[in-house]
Amino acid sequence: MQLLVVEVLRGWPGRSGASCGSWCLLGGVESKRCHPASRNVRDPSGPGCAGVVGDNSPGSHYCGFRRQRSAVQRQRDLISHSQITRLYSRFTSLDKGENGTLSREDFQRIPELAINPLGDRIINAFFPEGEDQVNFRGFMRTLAHFRPIEDNEKSKDQNGPEPLNSRSNKLHFAFRLYDLDKDDKISRDELLQVLRMMVGVNISDEQLGSIADRTIQEADQDGDSAISFAEFVKVLEKVDVEQKMSIRFLH
Amino acid sequence: LDYQHVQVPFEITLWIMLASLAKIGFHLYNKLPSVVPESCLLIFVGLIMGGIIYGLNDRSPPVMDTDIFFLYLLPPIVLDAGYFMPSRPFFENIGTILLYAVVGTIWNVFGIGFSLYGICQVKAFRLQDVSLLHNLLFGSLIAAVDPVAVLAVFEEIHVNEKLHILVFGESLLNDAVTVVLYKLFRSFCEMPTIKSVDVFAGVGKFFVVGLGGVLVGLTFGMTAAFTTRFTKDIRVIEPLFVFLYSYLSYLTAEMFHLSGIVAIIACAMGMKRYVEANISLKSHTTVKYFMKMWSSVSDTLIFIFLGVSTIGENHEWNWPYICFTVIFCLVWRALGVLVLTFFVNRFHVNTITSKDQFIIAYGGLRGAICFSLVFLLPDFRRKKLFIAATTVVILFTVFVQGMTIRPLVDLLAVKRKRESAPTVGEQIHIRFLDHLLAGIEDISGHWGQYYWKDKLEYFNSKYLQKLLLREYDQPKSSIVLLYEKLERKHAIELAEAGQLGHTLSHPSLLNNDRTVVTEKKLEDALDPDVLENIQEILARNLYRIRRTGPAYSRHTLPGETEPAKEILILRHKSL
């Protein structure tokens, strides 16, 4: 998991100082080096604060990890300052209740999402299992899957954990949208459900069924009439997934 | 028979009736609009009408009065464009659009003007007396791309959202530049000497015209929003305010010699979100439909009049000049697009491909604005030459470029096809990924220049909303309003008609049939005929993602396309 370090600007308009702080977002793992309290932070329980670090310098707080990274690595930082502040501003503009988390209604208020066939599934992908609220960290984590893969990262060391935006992880994200019951297989039913969402009302059930059968039959190699993750990856091997699943966060 | 009494309204109504009947006639024959764009057919009808009138009266048919065009026919079209302009792609690409509109137009004007002056120097063409200033004046009115013609032609070809908004936005915004240059050169024509002070005054004037237009438009837009705050008890005349204020902004800007088109666009875009929140649903629908109706009628009338005015004795046919005008228009536009795109691509991640560049360059159509401006020229000896040249350029761009742009686009697209057709699974998964990416982009609010947008949003929520909205609750977008409307009406209707109930598959039924059907289906699935059938079904029925279609359409309201309705109803049912 990659380290995202953020310095959130003080006094963000509309947030009246509650966001002064900095976060160490280690995907899923609390940083053991982040100190839990800091004198200079006004509201440590602000949105998405996984841990707060004080540096004693008045204008900026940086997580201890950051000092370890060299300046060169900082240039290639996964999501840069401006991108994170930009996403945070988007998060707060979606968060109408101003409680630092997003609910499903907040997502459903986005008009273009209402007419996206996969709208509901995409929204669900943001929420961790069984929960109804997502904080900024979860929001960022999901969006981190869609960061473009930079060329200089491809030759990085293979020892570290795989970055969230690798090709395999991107495909895994998409696979999880198909596979609702999380059995690591796309069954015929699940495929049919997705197909029905993506296709107009003029197609009859039999036609849809035959399309689903054809899809499974093309991909299935171990004969279980379902698509496993490996088979899914194989089907898409000729497709430029890196480009199809990447957003340029900056214009 | 008291014809004199009713003559004027009667003739106007007859013309409008002719235009509308012509439109019906084209769409009766399905194949025609795909081969020949509607604008060509309308000009053709106009030519026939002009010929008939000329034959009957043996004198030139009435030339389209420039006042009628600028005051009555143009504003509805521009208002429609401004009101339905999708603001997200527009502001995402505003830098590029402004670059093309301002720098591109200036480049074209001077390029065409100077090259035509060069042609005039050639003794063989007998054009010695056309001075540089006249050529520059002519260049300024012929260089501008026309929004009416562009819209008409781009409806037929399916380009992606970004390209559509680039050409369309450019055609709307270059009005400011055209107005300034045209007036500048015209006043230079009348002045005995030209000092450099005058040139600088001209440059300053450009900023005044553009920014002044925006300011006037926004003022009227805010006033309109404020007025609609108090219309709760008189819902019936709410739509009128929208039209009155927009038209007033246009007229006021024209009165002050500012750019009326920019003013009306600024007014429409500024007032839209507040007005939509304040007025009732029915008024909302009325506004939308009336706008579409008026702009359609204006559009049709303009092209017919263009055809009618072509016939007659207004022309002096000096073929070398005319031919070179056409050539230079094409050449300078292509050069301009190439150079500007080179600069644009340096600064942006999403580059404009060469196919896009070709479409932008080739899609620079001239239309009725040039035509009216040429009739406004002061009467000097060579005016008819310019009229002839303008007519030929317009007819060439609309007919030749309009008709050939679609085959050329298809040709360019075909060249990049894959060697092997994608498998069914690939097609489905690719479309799945496309929808996923579109959704994620919408969630992440994929925007450029977000700094200014955030500032504007902040300003909006703090001050403007409190002032201009009647009920300050969650402002609902038009999509959500539509969804609620559909929820009430269509879901009930369609469910009653049994259509949705039949096609939505119940998982329980599917499970029961699966075991029986599976063996048979697997064998069928291997059949190549079934495969072709499937490919065809998918190609026709998979929902397209938003970005691949045009952002703005003359004939349909946004959000009321069939796929959108179906998706909303299906999601409602599944909730």
Side-chain angles (χ1 to χ4, degrees):
Chain A
M1 304 297 171
Q2 297 289 5
L3 171 63
L4 311 165
V5 177
V6 173
E7 181 194 31
V8 174
L9 304 173
R10 250 177 229 266
W12 190 263
R15 286 281 140 182
S16 52
S19 57
C20 172
S22 67
W23 309 319
C24 289
L25 302 168
L26 291 180
V29 175
E30 291 283 346
S31 160
K32 295 214 171 36
R33 301 195 197 186
C34 286
H35 309 303
S38 162
R39 293 168 284 267
N40 293 347
V41 172
R42 291 216 220 138
D43 183 10
S45 62
C49 238
V52 166
V53 175
D55 191 24
N56 283 339
S57 60
S60 61
H61 308 278
Y62 286 96
C63 181
F65 263 95
R66 189 166 192 177
R67 288 202 212 99
Q68 292 187 348
R69 297 169 76 85
S70 65
V72 171
Q73 277 189 315
R74 277 246 302 267
Q75 296 302 326
R76 297 185 287 146
D77 238 339
L78 325 156
I79 299 192
S80 67
H81 265 198
S82 45
Q83 286 170 334
I84 295 185
T85 45
R86 214 264 288 155
L87 284 175
Y88 181 64
S89 133
R90 173 69 175 169
F91 181 85
T92 50
S93 72
L94 285 177
D95 180 17
K96 299 280 190 260
E98 296 206 352
N99 52 359
T101 59
L102 293 180
S103 66
R104 285 199 169 75
E105 284 75 34
D106 290 320
F107 281 103
Q108 279 160 359
R109 219 174 276 120
I110 303 173
E112 289 91 354
L113 218 51
I115 52 172
N116 189 316
L118 303 176
D120 293 321
R121 295 217 174 182
I122 299 175
I123 295 176
N124 277 334
F126 278 85
F127 293 87
E129 191 66 43
E131 288 185 23
D132 278 334
Q133 303 284 332
V134 59
N135 58 13
F136 182 58
R137 182 199 183 175
F139 184 72
M140 283 270 291
R141 198 152 174 281
T142 315
L143 287 181
H145 283 98
F146 290 89
R147 213 175 53 80
I149 299 178
E150 308 294 331
D151 283 325
N152 49 15
E153 282 175 10
K154 284 189 187 145
S155 51
K156 233 169 142 170
D157 60 316
Q158 302 300 322
N159 300 339
E162 207 178 351
L164 269 182
N165 65 334
S166 70
R167 183 195 167 96
S168 171
N169 274 327
K170 284 185 201 282
L171 285 173
H172 207 82
F173 185 85
F175 189 79
R176 282 199 297 269
L177 285 187
Y178 273 104
D179 181 24
L180 286 184
D181 56 4
K182 302 211 191 311
D183 60 355
D184 274 339
K185 279 206 265 245
I186 304 177
S187 67
R188 187 173 184 270
D189 279 345
E190 288 166 344
L191 190 58
L192 268 174
Q193 282 177 32
V194 171
L195 272 176
R196 175 49 73 191
M197 289 194 302
M198 291 208 299
V199 135
V201 294
N202 295 323
I203 304 227
S204 69
D205 292 338
E206 295 85 37
Q207 285 173 316
L208 215 58
S210 67
I211 294 176
D213 288 322
R214 174 80 198 183
T215 313
I216 294 183
Q217 184 244 342
E218 278 174 357
D220 195 16
Q221 280 158 350
D222 54 7
D224 59 354
S225 297
I227 306 180
S228 71
F229 181 58
E231 290 159 359
F232 184 68
V233 170
K234 184 126 199 330
V235 171
L236 290 176
E237 66 184 352
K238 279 196 238 145
V239 174
D240 187 4
V241 170
E242 286 90 338
Q243 198 246 340
K244 273 210 172 301
M245 282 185 74
S246 298
I247 316 178
R248 304 265 166 191
F249 284 115
L250 289 179
H251 192 45
Chain B
L1 199 59
D2 194 4
Y3 187 59
Q4 301 302 102
H5 185 61
V6 296
Q7 180 178 10
V8 171
F10 198 78
E11 286 185 352
I12 294 176
T13 316
L14 274 185
W15 276 112
I16 299 181
M17 181 72 85
L18 169 74
S20 315
L21 288 175
K23 258 181 130 72
I24 298 182
F26 301 145
H27 289 283
L28 276 181
Y29 182 42
N30 276 337
K31 285 254 174 98
L32 206 53
S34 58
V35 172
V36 183
E38 217 175 82
S39 43
C40 300
L41 293 171
L42 288 171
I43 295 186
F44 197 60
V45 167
L47 283 171
I48 296 177
M49 285 296 307
I52 295 176
I53 297 179
Y54 188 63
L56 286 179
N57 290 346
D58 204 27
R59 57 182 172 80
S60 303
V63 164
M64 176 163 65
D65 193 357
T66 43
D67 270 348
I68 294 183
F69 175 71
F70 277 114
L71 291 181
Y72 300 114
L73 291 180
L74 188 61
I77 296 179
V78 186
L79 176 61
D80 179 48
Y83 196 80
F84 290 108
M85 174 84 76
S87 46
R88 184 194 41 82
F90 183 70
F91 285 112
E92 256 181 35
N93 294 303
I94 189 82
T96 320
I97 293 178
L98 278 175
L99 193 69
Y100 280 131
V102 176
V103 178
T105 313
I106 294 180
W107 167 283
N108 278 336
V109 167
F110 283 103
I112 296 177
F114 279 113
S115 12
L116 281 176
Y117 181 60
I119 295 295
C120 288
Q121 301 304 93
V122 175
K123 287 203 170 50
F125 296 147
R126 296 190 304 276
L127 290 166
Q128 302 289 77
D129 56 338
V130 184
S131 69
L132 174 64
L133 209 52
H134 286 145
N135 277 312
L136 283 176
L137 184 57
F138 180 63
S140 75
L141 62 90
I142 201 84
V145 174
D146 187 71
V148 179
V150 163
L151 261 183
V153 163
F154 268 61
E155 295 243 316
E156 324 286 334
I157 59 176
H158 298 297
V159 293
N160 62 32
E161 182 184 67
K162 175 175 176 178
L163 197 54
H164 194 239
I165 205 81
L166 275 179
V167 185
F168 181 44
E170 180 207 343
S171 66
L172 283 177
L173 292 184
N174 65 15
D175 176 63
V177 182
T178 310
V179 160
V180 168
L181 285 174
Y182 180 76
K183 294 208 166 112
L184 196 68
F185 289 131
R186 205 165 86 167
S187 58
F188 280 177
C189 277
E190 284 147 22
M191 279 167 26
T193 51
I194 303 167
K195 303 183 276 293
S196 53
V197 156
D198 299 323
V199 178
F200 284 126
V203 170
K205 210 164 169 220
F206 159 66
F207 286 106
V208 169
V209 162
L211 293 174
V214 171
L215 223 65
V216 167
L218 283 179
T219 315
F220 277 98
M222 294 296 120
T223 319
F226 189 66
T227 313
T228 54
R229 189 176 165 186
F230 302 108
T231 56
K232 191 163 177 198
D233 299 319
I234 29 163
R235 294 283 189 190
V236 193
I237 60 169
E238 268 176 345
L240 200 56
F241 284 115
V242 171
F243 294 109
L244 285 179
Y245 277 104
S246 319
Y247 195 43
L248 267 181
S249 73
Y250 180 80
L251 294 174
T252 313
E254 289 289 323
M255 184 169 71
F256 287 115
H257 297 290
L258 304 171
S259 167
I261 292 186
V262 171
I264 208 174
I265 292 176
C267 179
M269 290 180 91
M271 76 172 158
K272 180 173 177 181
R273 96 197 241 195
Y274 305 107
V275 161
E276 283 196 352
N278 280 340
I279 64 181
S280 74
L281 205 57
K282 289 192 180 143
S283 306
H284 189 61
T285 314
T286 312
V287 165
K288 289 207 262 195
Y289 272 103
F290 258 88
M291 251 187 226
K292 289 287 179 196
M293 183 185 82
W294 266 326
S295 74
S296 256
V297 167
S298 277
D299 187 49
T300 320
L301 276 176
I302 287 177
F303 282 115
I304 290 191
F305 276 143
L306 209 61
V308 169
S309 309
T310 313
I311 310 281
E313 286 153 10
N314 285 324
H315 308 288
E316 177 193 332
W317 302 98
N318 184 317
W319 286 106
Y321 192 78
I322 294 176
C323 291
F324 275 109
T325 309
V326 173
I327 294 173
F328 284 138
C329 280
L330 286 172
V331 163
W332 282 103
R333 173 140 182 103
L335 279 179
V337 168
L338 270 174
V339 170
L340 286 176
T341 317
F342 175 71
F343 281 114
V344 166
N345 282 344
R346 295 276 290 277
F347 293 111
H348 283 165
V349 173
N350 297 327
T351 55
I352 299 179
T353 66
S354 23
K355 174 183 167 192
D356 291 344
Q357 287 174 37
F358 172 75
I359 294 181
I360 296 177
Y362 203 65
L365 304 172
R366 274 73 170 175
I369 292 189
C370 315
F371 200 65
S372 317
L373 283 177
V374 86
F375 277 103
L376 271 179
L377 282 176
D379 271 321
F380 58 97
R381 222 168 59 91
R382 286 291 190 155
K383 182 172 170 182
K384 292 194 173 174
L385 171 67
F386 288 156
I387 294 179
T390 313
T391 313
V392 172
V393 166
I394 294 177
L395 288 178
F396 178 82
T397 56
V398 173
F399 276 95
V400 174
Q401 281 179 242
M403 283 205 279
T404 56
I405 194 170
R406 184 136 181 252
L408 282 173
V409 167
D410 290 340
L411 199 68
L412 285 175
V414 163
K415 280 205 177 125
R416 306 222 178 100
K417 238 186 184 165
R418 289 164 51 137
E419 306 79 34
S420 64
T423 64
V424 171
E426 269 184 344
Q427 260 188 303
I428 293 178
H429 296 315
I430 288 175
R431 187 54 58 90
F432 181 83
L433 291 179
D434 285 338
H435 281 302
L436 171 61
L437 190 64
I440 295 284
E441 279 183 347
D442 291 328
I443 289 178
S444 73
H446 182 48
W447 254 83
Q449 282 85 43
Y450 40 81
Y451 173 72
W452 291 110
K453 195 214 171 199
D454 288 338
K455 284 266 193 251
L456 195 64
E457 280 300 322
Y458 177 61
F459 178 64
N460 174 47
S461 53
K462 263 255 162 131
Y463 304 111
L464 289 181
Q465 273 183 341
K466 298 203 176 103
L467 187 63
L468 300 174
L469 287 183
R470 187 184 324 123
E471 296 139 8
Y472 181 53
D473 52 356
Q474 299 296 355
K476 295 184 190 163
S477 75
S478 46
I479 295 280
V480 176
L481 284 173
L482 173 68
Y483 177 60
E484 288 178 337
K485 187 178 86 175
L486 283 178
E487 203 179 34
R488 284 194 295 273
K489 257 181 56 186
H490 284 224
I492 299 175
E493 282 177 22
L494 285 173
E496 281 176 359
Q499 179 184 353
L500 268 186
H502 171 68
T503 52
L504 272 182
S505 59
H506 294 283
S508 56
L509 274 177
L510 212 53
N511 276 331
N512 290 341
D513 291 340
R514 189 171 51 149
T515 45
V516 174
V517 166
T518 310
E519 295 96 32
K520 176 158 122 46
K521 286 284 191 235
L522 271 179
E523 282 159 22
D524 276 350
L526 294 170
D527 194 349
D529 287 338
V530 175
L531 172 62
E532 257 194 46
N533 202 13
I534 291 179
Q535 299 272 26
E536 193 191 330
I537 291 176
L538 280 181
R540 257 189 296 122
N541 283 291
L542 277 175
Y543 289 131
R544 294 165 61 190
I545 53 175
R546 201 185 58 246
R547 301 276 173 108
T548 57
Y552 162 81
S553 158
R554 174 63 59 73
H555 304 297
T556 54
L557 293 173
E560 287 208 355
T561 52
E562 279 313 306
K565 278 189 198 161
E566 287 174 3
I567 295 175
L568 285 176
I569 295 173
L570 277 175
R571 288 188 65 205
H572 166 73
K573 282 243 155 193
S574 67
L575 281 175

